[in-house]
Amino acid sequence: MSRILIIVQNLPVPFDRRVWLECQALLSEGHQVAVVCPKGDGDPPYQVVDTVELYKYRPYAPGGSKAGFIAEYAYSFLATAWLTLKARRSGRFAVMQACNPPDIFWPIALALRALDRTRFVFDHHDLCPELYESRFPDGPKLPYKMLRALERRTHRTADHVISTNGSYRDVAVNRSGKPASDVTIVRTGPDPARLRRGEPSAELRRGRRFLAAYIGVMGPQDGVDIVVRAADVVVHQLGREDIAFTLIGKGDCFDELVALRDELGLAGHVEFTGRAPDELVARILSTADIGLSPDPKNPLNDVSTMNKTMEYMAFELPVVAFDLRETRVSAGEAGTYVTPNDVGEYARAIVKLVDDEPRRSRLGKLGRARVEKELAWSHQQRAYLGVYQRLIAGRTATARTGG
């Protein structure tokens, strides 16, 4: 039995669904797991959940400016380093897994490697250089070059890289020079046994005939403002009073989005739940008629896998999305694709789909089948655990030979 450390900066655990599935997979193999991450609302600094040790620090997010990101990441690095030392008191780690963004934790991996021969797995969730380009399209080039350097250093320091899709794998191999044999694709597949459509709750439609749902982060690059503006077109231009919109999640833009909704006179049509417990999320997605993936086309989104898209598919929801490369890979025939970043076309696609019940049903069934046969976490878990089996076996062999 080995002891594993997982580092996460942008979401608390177990709220981060991918990381929590990874924790459960490692536990199933008999490993001990510790996680260092930020606190969620009301979280204690230390707790044990399903035998996973959670070491949490108070998050610090001074704002969405470039200086704000630097301050946030410096603070997060120091807090993570301190809690890593604290977690290490309970036992040395065979493997450290760092999840990004940001790409700053490789020095901690080097320190643990020197102290304990700890192996380093990089779980590549986001392309930080493309994230910068998407948030600051007219920004200076120096931060982009620095992010590329941090990305390359993280890839090259890692003993193995886990990529969430083929596009990210190409970045590791072609942009950072990582050997293809040291990169494994592990998609963020939903758990179809837990995420499945249940009985709808009529009250969640708020007196309207149809419900369109969004779940996910609400940052500048996530396109949630497009949902609000599309709702404005649906209600005020197309005259559809029978469609309710429910948006689940939080993020840097949450307050701005609520203000935009109120400014457009949509308070009776668009509901923001904030972060919601799993039970409420399941009820909303079991009641919804379509799932909204409004991610605009930009350097990041075009090559990123959106977890919400696959969660919609698990709940048999047809997906309305912009025509992005990796979104098509994920959703396949379960999606309705529109011209990237066209709010009016997005709104018309919503109306067209809610009015076509047979097509909604067909797309929903196709999405569910794709999750069960290809995308489910049970299929991804084998590849994920295979990475750990190889690394731990290699570490044990090195220790025996004294290397």
Side-chain angles (χ1 to χ4, degrees):
M1 179 171 63
S2 298
R3 187 163 160 79
I4 312 297
L5 172 68
I6 298 179
I7 290 173
V8 189
Q9 189 273 340
N10 65 328
L11 286 174
V13 175
F15 182 78
D16 188 316
R17 295 180 185 276
R18 175 184 174 91
V19 174
W20 191 242
L21 287 170
E22 291 173 338
C23 291
Q24 299 302 307
L26 292 169
L27 293 176
S28 72
E29 291 283 283
H31 300 299
Q32 293 180 337
V33 182
V35 176
V36 173
C37 65
K39 290 182 181 180
D41 294 340
D43 286 352
Y46 175 79
Q47 63 184 139
V48 178
V49 179
D50 292 347
T51 76
V52 178
E53 301 172 60
L54 302 176
Y55 297 83
K56 299 188 176 185
Y57 57 89
R58 187 185 303 277
Y60 172 66
S65 67
K66 292 181 283 293
F69 280 119
I70 293 171
E72 176 185 352
Y73 291 161
Y75 166 84
S76 298
F77 179 86
L78 294 173
T80 297
W82 170 250
L83 289 181
T84 295
L85 290 174
K86 189 173 182 180
R88 184 177 173 271
R89 294 173 190 166
S90 299
R92 298 179 178 182
F93 296 106
V95 181
M96 175 191 127
Q97 173 181 316
C99 310
N100 84 324
D103 299 330
I104 59 173
F105 297 116
W106 53 270
I108 298 176
L110 288 176
L112 291 177
R113 181 181 289 165
L115 288 171
D116 304 326
R117 293 197 297 270
T118 302
R119 298 299 180 97
F120 176 33
V121 172
F122 176 45
D123 192 10
H124 197 185
H125 294 187
D126 279 309
L127 295 175
C128 291
E130 280 74 10
L131 176 60
Y132 172 81
E133 280 189 310
S134 300
R135 286 201 172 199
F136 309 106
D138 299 319
K141 294 300 181 183
L142 180 59
Y144 175 81
K145 292 179 180 178
M146 293 174 64
L147 290 170
R148 283 281 296 268
L150 287 170
E151 176 189 79
R152 183 168 56 253
R153 175 52 56 194
T154 300
H155 277 139
R156 293 186 177 183
T157 303
D159 294 286
H160 204 93
V161 174
I162 294 174
S163 300
T164 53
N165 61 40
S167 296
Y168 280 32
R169 182 182 185 276
D170 291 343
V171 167
V173 173
N174 299 324
R175 193 157 87 184
S176 294
K178 197 71 178 172
S181 59
D182 292 337
V183 184
T184 298
I185 296 175
V186 179
R187 297 184 178 277
T188 308
D191 180 357
R194 186 178 65 85
L195 302 181
R196 61 169 53 250
R197 196 167 185 85
E199 290 298 318
S201 301
E203 69 274 12
L204 295 177
R205 297 179 186 272
R206 306 192 299 280
R208 306 188 190 279
R209 183 181 176 187
F210 302 108
L211 176 62
Y214 171 91
I215 181 170
V217 179
M218 298 183 178
Q221 75 277 5
D222 297 303
V224 188
D225 61 309
I226 292 173
V227 172
V228 179
R229 296 185 189 283
D232 181 47
V233 175
V234 168
V235 174
H236 296 135
Q237 294 185 28
L238 302 180
R240 295 298 295 263
E241 296 278 345
D242 57 345
I243 303 174
F245 295 80
T246 297
L247 282 57
I248 310 165
K250 290 201 76 173
D252 295 344
C253 296
F254 183 82
D255 292 339
E256 296 172 25
L257 292 166
V258 173
L260 177 63
R261 175 200 65 181
D262 295 343
E263 176 188 332
L264 296 175
L266 294 168
H269 298 270
V270 178
E271 178 182 58
F272 288 88
T273 68
R275 284 181 180 165
D278 289 348
E279 185 275 334
L280 178 57
V281 170
R283 288 179 60 217
I284 292 171
L285 296 185
S286 294
T287 304
D289 298 284
I290 58 175
L292 303 173
S293 290
D295 312 274
K297 186 170 184 175
N298 58 38
L300 176 69
N301 291 345
D302 195 38
V303 294
S304 296
T305 298
M306 307 303 173
N307 296 342
K308 57 182 168 287
T309 300
M310 291 181 286
E311 292 195 17
Y312 299 148
M313 293 161 64
F315 280 92
E316 299 181 39
L317 291 177
V319 180
V320 180
F322 291 122
D323 194 357
L324 308 183
R325 186 193 318 176
E326 284 293 339
T327 299
R328 273 194 178 269
V329 172
S330 296
E333 295 181 1
T336 292
Y337 306 100
V338 301
T339 303
N341 309 350
D342 189 322
V343 174
E345 187 176 341
Y346 197 87
R348 291 188 292 273
I350 291 171
V351 171
K352 185 176 180 179
L353 193 54
V354 298
D355 286 341
D356 191 343
E357 194 282 330
R359 184 163 184 258
R360 291 204 319 272
S361 177
R362 180 172 61 84
L363 297 187
K365 287 180 171 57
L366 286 170
R368 176 71 189 186
R370 180 161 167 73
V371 166
E372 292 178 350
K373 294 177 182 178
E374 299 180 48
L375 299 176
W377 178 248
S378 58
H379 303 304
Q380 309 304 318
Q381 178 175 292
R382 290 193 291 270
Y384 177 72
L385 291 176
V387 170
Y388 276 83
Q389 289 162 3
R390 292 192 297 275
L391 286 181
I392 291 173
R395 181 178 184 271
T396 302
T398 300
R400 286 174 180 166
T401 59

